[in-house]
Structures are given as structure tokens and as C-alpha cells.
Amino acid sequence: MTKPLKQHLIDPEICIRCYTCEMTCTVGAISHDDNNVVVDADKCGFCMDCIPVCPTGSIDEWRVVETPYSLEDQFGWEELPGQQEIGESAGEAETGLEAFDEAIAALLADAHKGAGGKARAPASAAKPTINMYNLAKPAEATVQGNYRLTQDPDHDVRHIILNFGTLPFPVLEGQSIGIIPPGQDAEGKPHLPRLYSVSSPRDGERPNFNNLSLTVKREPGGLCSNHVCDLAKGDKVQVTGPFGATFLMPEDARARLLMICTGTGSAAFRAFTMRRQRSTGAKSGGMTMFFGARNPECLPYFGPLAKVPETLLCKHMVFSRTPGAAREYVQDRMRAQSGAVADLLADPNTHIYICGLRGMEEGVEAALTGIAEGIGRDWTTLRDEMRGEGRYHVETY
């Protein structure tokens, strides 16, 4: 009888199809079709290089199997299968699997620092629609508007509104969509989608209209970002998704949200704020944002954010390159507001969301570590408890 073995899998519900893991894998073990990103058991050597680059933790899935799941199996999944029942031979391999698990756990402990750990959705979050439109059958949207959000000439950030007309495209706050840039790559294949967080609430950029918005920064040499930033009203866009089943906001109005972001990482938090404003009104409270940028001129939504009432959103807009002022980063402001942050950490109704460039994580983690110590808590333990309860969410790139 075949001895059990460990198989590396990817959760199709959580995966946001950013394809970063596939591009990172040096042995070609990870591939995709129109629906899913999958791992070839015959090629995977458990090097773990793909773990830290995954922004959602969807790649941290393992099963003990007697017969590995084939690529065909995985391409057809909409959700992961449960653990297989393993026969009598499992006892013969038990010691080897335990040793394997210990080795994997050691690697994951370090890798999760970058990936934010294995994500879980808030218990009260609405059920998201996943992968409704794929590479083979994308949705077509019409550009309804393209507005520049920043004044800094070196930071061209756009607010793009897409209208889906009569085509259903249900999204929740915190989900992403893929934009397929036109043309082909150097190998003559269609370009892969570029992911963008939706920056409008579930009922649309305009309430009860079938549209949504994106927050997109033009990147020098960026294929898709330049395509999107140059779109004109009336242009057609090929869209995949929606993606993401964990970086969602709780439906419980009592939940307190601590949101930490830089740049276009604010997109999801704009959606969160608008959802709360529309569903519970300006007096709902319980939302705190630390938003970092180089200066006010390159901070998206600076003007509109300033007008959001403090009763709804406590705002800390932090700048690192303001002329005549000392450099300040989000972690510095968090330390300066340690009392308020500590109050949030101590509250079991608090959900933490971190979104933006991966480089921000280390500083934010250090700040949270010190603040947690001030209330007698070990941050690593508290963070893992919150993650397990669906109250700690990280998406950084």
C-alpha cells in the first residue's frame, strides 16, 4: 500500500489570482488555467519560496494524501477538499510526516511574517462571490469616469469608475478585480490580469448603480497601470473576478476597525468607510485610519477624507516628505497615539486591516509589539489569536 505523503495546495476561494507565486516558483511547479492557480505534486520540492510572496495566505494549504490530487482535479475546484481518510499504512509514515510538519512549521513561521499569516474572514462578513468571470470569459465594463486624485506630478493616482450595465458583477468591500491589458506578451500569449482593490461599496460607486471604482497609480513602465490610467470615458475594459474571500469587513456595526495603509492601499478602506456611512450613518464611529504618504499632494482622496466626520472615522494622515517638517511614518503616529491603539487592541470587537507596500509591515509590527506590551500582551500571541478569529487581515505587495 502506498505510504501517505504531504501535498501542497492552494485555496481557490482565498486566492486572488495575482500569479506572484507562479512567477516566484523556480521549478515550474505552480501554473494556472482560466479558473485556478495550482501546484504540481510531481514538481513541488517544498522550497517554500512561494509562501512569503502570497498576500492572502491562500498558498499555505497542505493535505496528507495516499494519491496526490492531479492538476486536472485542482483546476476543477471551487473550494478545497477536506482531509482524506488515510488507510492502515498511515501508521507506518506517521513519524516521517510529523518530522515533515515540524520542518514546514519552522519555515512557515518566518514566511508568515511577509504573508501576514493564513487569513480568515470576519465571522459576520457577508458571503462573497468568487471568480465569477475568468480569463476565458471575462466581463466587459465601460469606463464611466477617470479622475486624477493627486497633485504631485511624480505620483499620478487615478479614480476609475467602471460600469457593467446589465451584466451582474457583485462585489464586497475588500475584494479585488482583475483588469486584462490589451495585446500579447513576448511569447505571444494574452497578458495576465493585473489586480486592483475595489474602492467603492457593494451597492456601487453611485448607490444602486451597477458600477464600481478603482484607485490606480501610474507606474513607470507599468503595462496595465498605464493602460488603466489612460482610459477615456466610453472605453471598454476586460475584467476578471471578483477575487478575495477574507479581506472583508464585518457586518456587525459594533465592530471597531483599525485600518493602516499607504498610497493606493487606501482603496479598500474607502469602500469600508462608504459602506459604514451608507449603512449606519455618520454616528457609527468605531473606525480609525492611519494613512501614510509622502505629502498631501500625493495622498489619494486627501480632500474627501478631510470631510468625513470624526464621529464616523478617526483620521491620522501621516507624511514622510513634507518640506520643513520631520519625516513621519504610520508606525510613528501609531506610537504617538498608543493609548487609543492600545484601547483597540484590548477590545475583542476590534478588527485590524493592513494594506499597502510590503515594506510598511515591519514598522507597523514593531509599533504594535510595543503598544501590546504596554497592556501586558505579547503581540505575536495576540495577533495569531485575532487572525484565528478573523480579526487580523494583511494584504501587502
Side-chain angles (χ1 to χ4, degrees), residues 348-364:
N349 286 322
T350 294
H351 294 247
I352 297 177
Y353 297 85
I354 302 171
C355 192
L357 295 175
R358 179 154 291 162
M360 70 182 289
E361 272 192 80
E362 184 177 355
V364 170

Side-chain angles (χ1 to χ4, degrees), residues 203-248:
D203 57 347
E205 174 70 11
R206 180 177 176 184
N208 301 316
F209 278 69
N210 191 25
N211 59 10
L212 58 78
S213 63
L214 307 175
T215 308
V216 182
K217 179 185 176 184
R218 187 189 299 275
E219 299 290 349
L223 173 70
C224 197
S225 69
N226 281 280
H227 165 63
V228 174
C229 289
D230 289 337
L231 288 170
K233 185 176 181 180
D235 285 348
K236 304 297 182 182
V237 181
Q238 300 298 300
V239 181
T240 61
F243 303 116
T246 60
F247 199 89
L248 307 175

Side-chain angles (χ1 to χ4, degrees), residues 273-355:
T273 302
M274 292 178 71
R275 170 63 179 170
R276 274 284 177 93
Q277 200 161 17
R278 290 180 185 177
S279 62
T280 61
K283 296 182 179 180
S284 66
M287 302 181 74
T288 300
M289 174 188 283
F290 290 87
F291 190 175
R294 293 174 62 90
N295 52 57
E297 288 72 29
C298 63
L299 187 144
Y301 307 113
F302 178 76
L305 269 174
K307 297 178 182 178
V308 177
E310 289 289 323
T311 52
L312 174 72
L313 176 68
C314 180
K315 303 174 287 288
H316 298 280
M317 290 181 277
V318 185
F319 306 111
S320 61
R321 300 291 192 281
T322 302
R327 293 188 179 188
E328 186 181 21
Y329 298 92
V330 288
Q331 60 265 31
D332 301 321
R333 184 66 65 86
M334 290 170 65
R335 291 189 181 97
Q337 297 291 323
S338 60
V341 176
D343 177 64
L344 286 164
L345 294 184
D347 190 340
N349 286 322
T350 294
H351 294 247
I352 297 177
Y353 297 85
I354 302 171
C355 192

